[in-house]
Amino acid sequence: MSVWDAIVGQRPVVDMLSRVAQLSGPSADPSGQHSRRDDLAQSWLICGPPGSGRSNVARAFAAAMDSPDHGLDDEPTKVTRQILSGTHPDVTVLATDKVTIGIDQVRDLIATSEQMPSTAPWRIIIIEDVDRMMERTTNVLLKEIEEPAEHTIWLLCAPSPQDVLPTIRSRTRIVNLAVPTTAAVTAFLKEHTDADRHVAARAARLAEGHIGIARLYATNERVMADRDSLVVGVLGMSRTSDAVMLAEGLIENARGQAQEDIAAQVEAEQRSFRRINGLDEKDRMPPNLRSAYHAIGAKDDVRRRVTRRSRDVLDRALNSVASVYRDVCVLQNNAEDAVGIINLENRTAITELSVRLSRSQAIDRLEHIAVARRRMAGNVAPQLAFEALFSALVV
């Protein structure tokens, strides 16, 4: 199948990037050296809301640029398979489980970008979540984005152009992704997971266009159950003590999920390290490899990754809470036929809440959620942020 077939709900962008890739082959000058096409942008900023598939679009674009078939054949080429699996020597991806992207990581990428591609037409550098760079780090990247090596293409990913510095925005070609429709996400889940059509449809609806969360809901019953419990808890709060207890349980659950996820990742990375170095599970680690092996599960690194993953879980929780008041506003404005209800399973309780709250009170609660999100981004203690939020939501 085409490299673009796994991109959900982005047909106009796919068509445009596919055309660019087909016209992007480097031309040869009289000396036999490759030179870039004058009409090809070498620095791109791929923007879209969380879950819209920014990094997947970047990888597919990289495969289309470097693969001999431009990623269009039904049977993927070796180059396409390598790029999508992250093993191609000429495509480098910077994805981080940490809160910010470090300046040393960017300097390493810049050094890599100056190297000639070994087998492919282009050396391609993908940076996921470029919005996690501090300003000093972004300034290090700026010169390379402005004047990239003639054989290098930069693909940066961020939620929106406003999330990166204006200097970066002005030096990149911006690609804006849409929020995938519920129908498109449902079809994707039915094709790529074992979920039946009812589970797929519910997961897509609750995920609100976020493909990764939809897959998570469709394949992980515990995560779906945790969301259900949170929504019921929010709808059932009547005292401040309820709010404090709900916040405490949410924070504890988020940290537990994060610790389990990161522990599984570390274990998988250690297994991969052993496999790459020809070691079985019970083989002793040679002295010359011990330092690199133990660095995989270094305590400080794991702690940072757990913090980052906890924030992902809590951010997902904020989206779930916001969906409750979004549904309240929909009912108050008689707009259900036009835009639908997200939390259909809780419709009765949401209807009752829509009667108890005025329209301005419902909007105020959405603003409280936005404040909590800003507090989390500002490194306020999650426990305090959610206690304040839930207390403000008590009717």
Side-chain angles (χ1 to χ4, degrees), residues 91-341:
V91 178
T92 303
V93 180
L94 175 58
T96 182
D97 288 322
K98 301 175 184 177
V99 177
T100 60
I101 294 175
I103 193 169
D104 289 338
Q105 293 174 291
V106 173
R107 284 172 173 156
D108 289 343
L109 285 182
I110 291 172
T112 300
S113 75
E114 296 295 332
Q115 301 171 10
M116 289 295 296
S118 56
T119 61
W122 300 100
R123 180 167 294 281
I124 299 177
I125 311 291
I126 300 173
I127 303 181
E128 298 181 6
D129 301 314
V130 72
D131 52 302
R132 290 187 198 163
M133 287 185 187
M134 304 297 285
E135 184 172 352
R136 177 167 172 254
T137 305
T138 304
N139 288 334
V140 171
L141 177 64
L142 182 59
K143 188 175 187 302
E144 286 298 318
I145 294 300
E146 186 175 16
E147 299 178 2
E150 66 175 17
H151 52 264
T152 298
I153 292 176
W154 291 85
L155 304 179
L156 313 180
C157 303
S160 73
Q162 289 68 39
D163 289 314
V164 300
L165 292 179
T167 48
I168 292 290
R169 295 201 301 267
S170 65
R171 289 162 173 78
T172 55
R173 180 171 177 180
I174 299 174
V175 176
N176 287 304
L177 305 185
V179 177
T181 65
T182 299
V185 177
T186 300
F188 172 80
L189 293 176
K190 288 166 62 177
E191 181 177 354
H192 295 278
T193 73
D194 294 330
D196 62 36
R197 62 186 181 89
H198 299 291
V199 172
R202 183 176 184 231
R205 167 168 50 84
L206 296 181
E208 302 179 70
H210 192 303
I211 300 167
I213 292 178
R215 185 194 285 269
L216 187 63
Y217 286 157
T219 57
N220 191 318
E221 293 182 5
R222 174 190 168 184
V223 174
M224 182 77 88
D226 287 343
R227 186 196 187 279
D228 292 340
S229 297
L230 174 62
V231 170
V232 170
V234 169
L235 290 168
M237 289 189 301
S238 60
R239 300 183 302 273
T240 301
S241 59
D242 296 334
V244 173
M245 291 180 63
L246 184 61
E248 182 179 355
L250 175 61
I251 300 303
E252 182 179 349
N253 178 65
R255 187 158 190 84
Q257 281 192 44
Q259 288 173 335
E260 289 181 11
D261 290 349
I262 298 305
Q265 283 187 9
V266 168
E267 184 178 348
E269 290 167 8
Q270 289 174 336
R271 287 198 303 268
S272 177
F273 184 92
R274 285 182 172 275
R275 184 176 62 254
I276 290 171
N277 289 280
L279 299 171
D280 291 331
E281 184 178 349
K282 296 182 179 179
D283 290 344
R284 293 189 63 182
M285 188 63 57
N288 63 317
L289 295 177
R290 285 176 190 165
S291 177
Y293 178 76
H294 291 306
I296 295 174
K299 184 180 295 185
D300 287 345
D301 183 61
V302 168
R303 176 176 53 78
R304 286 191 291 268
R305 293 170 69 179
V306 167
T307 298
R308 170 74 183 93
R309 185 57 58 84
S310 296
R311 293 190 180 192
D312 286 343
V313 176
L314 293 175
D315 187 70
R316 188 168 72 236
L318 287 173
N319 290 337
S320 298
V321 176
S323 73
V324 171
Y325 296 95
R326 175 265 189 198
D327 287 346
V328 167
C329 292
V330 167
L331 293 178
Q332 289 177 336
N333 289 280
N334 298 315
E336 183 176 1
D337 291 341
V339 298
I341 295 292

Side-chain angles (χ1 to χ4, degrees), residues 354-373:
S354 71
V355 174
R356 297 203 305 274
L357 294 176
S358 67
R359 293 187 181 185
S360 63
Q361 286 175 322
I363 293 172
D364 285 345
R365 279 156 173 76
L366 287 171
E367 178 57 29
H368 288 313
I369 296 168
V371 169
R373 198 183 299 277

Side-chain angles (χ1 to χ4, degrees), residues 37-52:
R37 293 179 57 96
D38 292 336
D39 57 349
L40 172 66
Q42 288 184 262
S43 299
W44 297 72
L45 180 60
I46 301 174
C47 299
S52 57

